[in-house]
Amino acid sequence: MTETKVSAGTGETSADVREWRQLLARHADLTCALDRELQSGHGLGMSEYEVLERLAELPDQSAKVQQIAGSVHLSQSALSRVIGRLETAGLVERNMCPEDRRAISVCMTEKGLHRQREAQPTQRRVLAERLHAPLIKSCDPTD
């Protein structure tokens, strides 16, 4: 771990702050690139794809909303909106959980599994191209 240097008002930026800013820039670059490529090629945003992929990885392609929330790093309300969009598109179904009637279970449909499998090479290509490459302003539409 690097030593943190605090310098108030000197115009200097500590190594931790520079690294943090670089991490944020990398995240923004990947998020924008993934959103653009997945949306244009498959009609999915990055968050929709992540939910579908997490469900596809499970043996029965089904999970409680709380389990999904723990793996996709979305707030409960943001996840609810994502699931709503996926449900409207016919990619998932929401049901009462049989073992806990207070919980909601989300199950991927055949259409959802097909869409996720079609989109996976696009997601993997963007990650391979961008994850360790020099940063590009991917939110710029001329990119």
Side-chain angles (χ1 to χ4, degrees):
M1 198 152 141
T2 61
E3 186 177 312
T4 302
K5 179 180 175 184
V6 178
S7 50
T10 64
E12 295 179 30
T13 306
S14 72
D16 288 343
V17 171
R18 285 191 306 275
E19 193 168 332
W20 170 247
R21 289 176 182 169
Q22 188 173 24
L23 179 63
L24 290 175
R26 174 74 58 197
H27 179 268
D29 177 65
L30 281 166
T31 299
C32 290
L34 285 167
D35 268 336
R36 183 176 50 241
E37 294 290 324
L38 289 168
Q39 189 65 46
S40 68
H42 308 283
L44 295 170
M46 184 191 72
S47 295
E48 286 91 3
Y49 177 81
E50 283 297 319
V51 169
L52 290 177
E53 183 167 69
R54 299 304 171 107
L55 289 170
E57 292 170 347
L58 299 171
D60 60 354
Q61 285 93 35
S62 180
K64 291 180 185 176
V65 172
Q66 294 83 352
Q67 292 170 303
I68 299 167
S71 66
V72 295
H73 309 291
L74 293 172
S75 69
Q76 192 73 30
S77 62
L79 178 59
S80 182
R81 289 190 300 272
V82 167
I83 291 170
R85 289 191 298 270
L86 291 171
E87 186 175 35
T88 298
L91 305 177
V92 301
E93 293 176 348
R94 279 189 264 205
N95 301 300
M96 296 291 285
C97 186
E99 53 287 339
D100 181 358
R101 297 190 51 79
R102 296 169 296 164
I104 301 293
S105 177
V106 178
C107 183
M108 182 182 279
T109 63
E110 283 299 318
K111 182 179 176 182
L113 187 58
H114 181 72
R115 181 84 57 93
Q116 185 273 328
R117 287 181 177 159
E118 282 183 332
Q120 187 177 47
T122 300
Q123 190 248 18
R124 299 301 198 264
R125 176 182 52 78
V126 171
L127 291 178
E129 290 172 359
R130 303 297 274 272
L131 194 56
H132 302 289
L135 286 175
I136 301 171
K137 286 189 171 189
S138 66
C139 291
D140 184 352
T142 62
D143 213 11

